[in-house]
Amino acid sequence: MSASFSPEKPLRVRLLYAKTEMMRYSGHLDVQRTLERTFRRAGLPLLHSRGYHPRPKMHLAAALPLGCTGEHELMDFWLTRPLSLEEIVTALRQAAPPGLRILEVRTVPEDEPPLPNRVIASEYVITLLDFFPDLNARVAALLVAGRLPRERRGKAYDLRPLIESAEVLPKDEKGRQRLRLRLSTRQGATGRPDEVLAALEIPLGAARIHRTRQFLQPLP
């Protein structure tokens, strides 16, 4: 669905992009700064905040943990004047650095709720670099657990309600084991793949985490 543009109402655009292997160890703030620089190099007429330190108006859907890649990363930004989607995507692809792949842009209604508020879950595929002969049993035990007490930043919480699904996938072309997780995003609580790996007693260094999709709350 396309949004109309008027001089009083900036154009809201949604970007779908991929964070690839070259940016695996770029954190959330680094990715955000990289996107800002990409927009500046692209010469797009971004809407900025007011005040002493104006910043481009940009909303990333959900932070991607450090060390993860993603093929379905979402962000919204606003333009002060209309451009065609072809102009926007061409400019961004020419300006994007290695490690950031521009996939698609589309316009969205200005009155749509903020993008971060609409994320309800994320899907991850995890490739294991070591072999775990009891992987199926570990995943089965995870799913039947009534509680999975964890602690993050000194605060205790239950991980189990945040795991919507977990399954062992067929091995990849290199014979490596793989997992698929769907983790919930709730107000004040987000399922993290590194915490699931910890609950499975799989070292983080023995895994490659890739976000394949983000799920948004349907609009009324």
Side-chain angles (χ1 to χ4, degrees), residues 7-111:
E8 298 80 20
K9 192 174 183 182
L11 185 68
R12 182 177 177 179
V13 183
R14 181 157 298 159
L15 169 66
L16 174 66
Y17 68 96
K19 178 190 174 188
T20 69
E21 189 67 32
M22 293 185 69
M23 289 188 68
R24 174 181 294 279
Y25 295 106
S26 296
H28 176 65
L29 292 179
D30 291 329
V31 171
Q32 185 169 317
R33 285 190 287 265
T34 298
L35 285 165
E36 289 185 20
R37 290 194 295 268
T38 299
F39 279 100
R40 286 199 296 270
R41 285 195 298 268
L44 296 178
L46 286 177
L47 180 69
H48 284 70
S49 62
R50 304 189 181 206
Y52 292 107
H53 301 286
R55 299 290 301 274
K57 186 177 180 182
M58 302 163 57
H59 292 169
L60 275 70
L64 190 61
L66 182 69
C68 301
T69 55
E71 65 186 64
H72 193 270
E73 302 307 295
L74 297 168
M75 70 164 293
D76 283 356
F77 60 95
W78 283 255
L79 299 179
T80 59
R81 60 181 175 84
L83 293 174
S84 72
L85 295 180
E86 182 179 354
E87 287 179 282
I88 297 169
V89 76
T90 298
L92 288 175
R93 284 174 177 166
Q94 290 175 346
L100 190 68
R101 191 165 71 248
I102 305 300
L103 301 176
E104 176 187 307
V105 294
R106 65 183 181 90
T107 55
V108 292
E110 171 59 27
D111 59 356

Side-chain angles (χ1 to χ4, degrees), residues 159-199:
L159 175 63
R160 183 61 189 90
L162 302 176
I163 304 174
E164 297 185 9
S165 65
E167 62 177 318
V168 178
L169 295 175
K171 294 177 182 177
D172 69 5
E173 67 281 357
K174 295 182 180 180
R176 298 177 298 190
Q177 294 171 300
R178 298 187 302 155
L179 298 169
R180 178 160 56 209
L181 307 174
R182 175 167 163 149
L183 305 180
S184 178
T185 300
R186 303 180 181 181
Q187 187 70 28
T190 297
R192 291 175 57 96
D194 54 332
E195 295 288 346
V196 177
L197 287 172

Side-chain angles (χ1 to χ4, degrees), residues 72-159:
H72 193 270
E73 302 307 295
L74 297 168
M75 70 164 293
D76 283 356
F77 60 95
W78 283 255
L79 299 179
T80 59
R81 60 181 175 84
L83 293 174
S84 72
L85 295 180
E86 182 179 354
E87 287 179 282
I88 297 169
V89 76
T90 298
L92 288 175
R93 284 174 177 166
Q94 290 175 346
L100 190 68
R101 191 165 71 248
I102 305 300
L103 301 176
E104 176 187 307
V105 294
R106 65 183 181 90
T107 55
V108 292
E110 171 59 27
D111 59 356
E112 186 176 305
L115 184 56
N117 295 352
R118 291 193 57 206
V119 180
I120 57 173
S122 292
E123 181 183 83
Y124 300 87
V125 170
I126 301 175
T127 302
L128 302 181
L129 307 182
D130 296 335
F131 182 71
F132 298 88
D134 60 343
L135 181 62
N136 284 282
R138 294 191 194 195
V139 172
L142 183 85
L143 294 176
V144 299
R147 284 178 51 82
L148 290 170
R150 301 289 301 167
E151 184 175 307
R152 183 163 184 81
R153 296 176 181 172
K155 184 178 179 180
Y157 74 100
D158 183 7
L159 175 63

